[in-house]
Each structure stands twice: as structure tokens, then as C-alpha cells.
Amino acid sequence: MTFKGAVKLTDAVKLKDKVAVVTGGASGIGRATALLFAREGAAVVVADLDGPGAASAARDIAEAGGRAVAVTADVSVEDDCARVVRAAVDTFGGLHVLFNNAGIIRRADALGTTVEEWDRVMAVNVRSVFLMCKHAVPAMTSGGSIVNTGSGWGLKGGGNALSYCASKAAVVNMTRALAIDHAKAGIRVNSVNPGDTDTPMLRDEARQLSEDWTAFAADAADRPMGRAGSPEEIARAVLFLACEDASFVTGSALVVDGGGLA
């Protein structure tokens, strides 16, 4: 994504005066969303285990005239989640949008997955959503929006990705439960469910499976629209769910996959 210049106060921005947290914001969908949120007027906390990557995203936003701060955090750890939320409140004065995007994948079936790998996937993909929401909801004193990254494989099964499929299914249904619990507080909770998207994680999947990237990418493009998605396309869907355009949308699982599940 090209992030062009400072946002003018006269622009019809969708997140003007909002404060957003993006986990997994150093690369891929997270980075694209952090940049888009900033372009749409939000102050952004970019959180990632990759500290230099988070700092790079925050620096790009700041150099273009936006507001951002980077936080190095392992969002499977409660103290780190609390620290990310405090950074939003202490630095920018509140919290209105949380994008729970941090995630990992292990491409293996049950026989090829170790207990340690299973636990780590569940910790990063599922426990982090619980922990971030646990600390973010009390900070959303005037309501807000939470968007969780699910997956097409959270809605249907996939091969050689047992722990990932299980974790993303948990995210989708946890999203529904959170939406019910916090609607009266004015907090909407939705999931965005991408299909194959050209990110570093997708390329890592090819490496894990010892597959040639060209062949792997061709398989990822095998869907009605004939291509994989881009991080920027997923970011625009996240923006929709995060802003007032989706004011009557909560508990939904928005599929953004070029027709793959169709």
C-alpha cells in the first residue's frame, strides 16, 4: 500500500479521532491495516513480537504525518496484552478499535503436529484474542469495535493444517460470543475471514510443505476470481467492520476470499 501524506482534517475519513490497536502489525494484513487505519484518521498502536517490524510500520505512519507508536509484545502473554492496551490509553487517551490479527500457522496433520506446536498455535491464535479483549473492553468506555482475524479454514476444513483450522474455528465462534456479551456496552465484535492472501505467512506455508512457490501460488489462485488476495484488500474489509459503516453489524463472519468458499 502507498501511504500518501498526512490526512487533512477536511477529508471524509472513517476513523477520525479514533484510537486503534493492531496486533500482528509488523507485516502482511496487519501492517496494511495499520497504514489504512492511520490514513483514515486513527492513532494506531502497532503491536507485534517483531519489534523492528512494528517500529518500521509506526515510523512509516509518523513520517507521513499520522500518529502511531510501536509496542513489542507477545500477545499470548497476559502482561504484554495489558501493556499494549495501556500504550493506547496512555499515549493517545483511549481505545476505540481493536484488530486482533496476530496469528501463526503450522502445516501438518494430527500425526505430524507436536503437542508443543499445537499449544503455540492455540496460544497465538486463540488465547491472544481472549486476552486482548479482556484488557481492551474495559478501556472502550464509549463503545468501540473489535475485529478478529479468522480464516476460510475457520468455516470449513483444510488439509494438513489441523491446529490452524481448529484455532480459527475457535476465533469465529468466540467472536459471536463476545458480540453477545458486549453489545449493551456499545461494542461490536466481528471476524474477517480471508482466503489465501499474498503475505509472508502464505510463503512460509509453501516452505513448511516443501512446495515450489510458483506451484503453491497457482494453487492459491484456484478460486472463482482466479487469484490470491492482497493484504490491502483484506485491510479494506477490516476498515468496514471497524468503522461506523458497519454500525449495525456484530457477531458476523465476513468472508473475503475471492469466492473460494462459494
Side-chain angles (χ1 to χ4, degrees):
M1 171 179 292
T2 301
F3 184 58
K4 297 180 179 179
V7 174
K8 298 177 182 178
L9 294 179
T10 55
D11 288 348
V13 292
K14 296 180 181 294
L15 295 177
K16 182 180 178 181
D17 299 326
K18 302 298 185 184
V19 178
V21 165
V22 176
T23 72
S27 65
I29 293 169
R31 182 185 179 92
T33 303
L35 295 175
L36 181 59
F37 278 4
R39 193 178 74 190
E40 293 291 338
V44 184
V45 177
V46 183
D48 203 292
L49 189 61
D50 175 7
S56 173
R59 185 168 56 251
D60 284 351
I61 291 169
E63 288 178 352
R67 297 176 296 158
V69 64
V71 179
T72 303
D74 180 345
V75 288
S76 71
V77 176
E78 184 171 11
D79 286 348
D80 282 16
C81 293
R83 185 163 49 82
V84 169
V85 173
R86 283 198 305 271
V89 174
D90 293 347
T91 306
F92 299 120
L95 179 60
H96 308 95
V97 177
L98 168 63
F99 180 33
N100 282 312
N101 174 69
I104 59 174
I105 190 168
R106 168 60 177 154
R107 292 301 306 266
D109 62 11
L111 301 182
T113 302
T114 68
V115 171
E116 292 77 17
E117 289 168 338
W118 173 275
D119 288 346
R120 185 57 182 165
V121 170
M122 290 296 169
V124 176
N125 293 5
V126 183
R127 188 168 70 203
S128 68
V129 175
F130 155 62
L131 290 173
M132 285 300 305
C133 290
K134 181 179 180 67
H135 289 277
V137 165
M140 292 180 165
T141 55
S142 58
S145 175
I146 298 171
V147 183
N148 302 320
T149 298
S151 169
W153 279 356
L155 300 168
K156 67 181 289 292
N160 289 311
L162 178 73
S163 58
Y164 183 80
C165 292
S167 71
K168 291 304 184 178
V171 169
V172 170
N173 215 34
M174 179 166 38
T175 296
R176 299 182 180 118
L178 287 161
I180 293 167
D181 288 342
H182 302 294
K184 290 183 179 179
I187 298 172
R188 298 182 298 104
V189 191
N190 295 285
S191 65
V192 63
N193 296 273
D196 287 333
T197 305
D198 190 1
T199 64
M201 191 167 83
L202 188 68
R203 292 170 183 270
D204 184 58
E205 289 184 58
R207 182 194 60 79
Q208 289 185 41
L209 294 168
S210 299
E211 292 189 13
D212 173 73
W213 167 246
T214 301
F216 190 85
D219 185 62
D222 185 18
R223 59 194 63 242
M225 290 188 70
R227 62 178 177 83
S230 71
E232 291 77 17
E233 288 175 311
I234 310 305
R236 286 193 287 273
V238 177
L239 175 64
F240 164 71
L241 293 173
C243 77
E244 285 303 303
D245 288 350
S247 59
F248 198 53
V249 180
T250 196
S252 74
L254 176 60
V255 177
V256 189
D257 73 344
L261 289 186

